[in-house]
Amino acid sequence: MYRRFIRPAWILLALWATAGAANAAGVPYVSSARGYGAPNQFVLRLMAVNRSALTSRVQTRRLRVLERDADLRSQVQQHRFQQKDVVLAAVMPGGLLYAAYKQAKLKALQAKQAAAERELAELATDLQRLQSPALARLVVAEHQE
């Protein structure tokens, strides 16, 4: 008898928990939602986003990633195989293990640097989209209603 109420109860609990987590994480939003659509179409309820807060968050994230990218670039330069490493690999017992470790460390740093560069490219496109005039007109039209 109560089985038909269990699934909706779990769904409501999950929605409540995610809404609380999003609010606790400090997601920038304005609480007013507006309906869009013609009478014979679906009506969507969209949250109005605080555009300036979102832009500032993306810019601070971009600065952090730029700092991390610069740090990774310097680490990659430090871990490149140099002449002294060739001498150490040839002279030391276990020098090949040393060379393999140094090469693996370099590959891992290069992969992290590539990921940081991809994230920078994504953040640049996100900033460009947030600062586009079409989005600005849409936000102004929403607030005028």
Side-chain angles (χ1 to χ4, degrees):
M1 177 172 182
Y2 295 108
R3 287 185 181 184
R4 67 180 183 170
F5 295 112
I6 292 175
R7 183 175 288 162
W10 280 110
I11 291 172
L12 287 175
L13 181 65
L15 288 173
W16 176 72
T18 56
N23 199 10
V27 176
Y29 73 95
V30 178
S31 62
S32 64
R34 301 183 191 278
Y36 297 94
N40 60 350
Q41 296 177 345
F42 288 110
V43 176
L44 303 175
R45 297 194 67 62
L46 302 173
M47 259 194 282
V49 175
N50 187 350
R51 193 167 155 233
S52 61
L54 188 59
T55 303
S56 67
R57 281 183 162 211
V58 171
Q59 287 174 342
T60 56
R61 176 67 183 161
R62 184 176 174 273
L63 289 175
R64 282 192 213 133
V65 174
L66 277 171
E67 290 173 0
R68 188 178 69 191
D69 186 49
D71 184 41
L72 286 171
R73 283 181 191 271
S74 67
Q75 287 182 12
V76 165
Q77 287 296 348
Q78 290 173 357
H79 284 85
R80 290 214 186 272
F81 217 68
Q82 299 169 355
Q83 292 177 352
K84 68 174 185 167
D85 297 319
V86 173
V87 172
L88 285 174
V91 174
M92 272 180 33
L96 290 177
L97 290 174
Y98 167 76
Y101 170 76
K102 185 143 183 147
Q103 194 68 14
K105 181 77 171 173
L106 178 65
K107 292 289 183 189
L109 286 172
Q110 287 173 338
K112 286 181 183 179
Q113 183 185 4
E117 289 174 357
R118 281 192 305 271
E119 188 173 356
L120 278 173
E122 282 183 30
L123 288 171
T125 58
D126 289 345
L127 275 174
Q128 186 179 14
R129 288 179 183 160
L130 279 172
Q131 296 169 349
S132 73
L135 184 63
R137 284 192 302 270
L138 178 66
V139 170
V140 169
E142 284 179 1
H143 289 295
Q144 288 176 353
E145 291 179 357

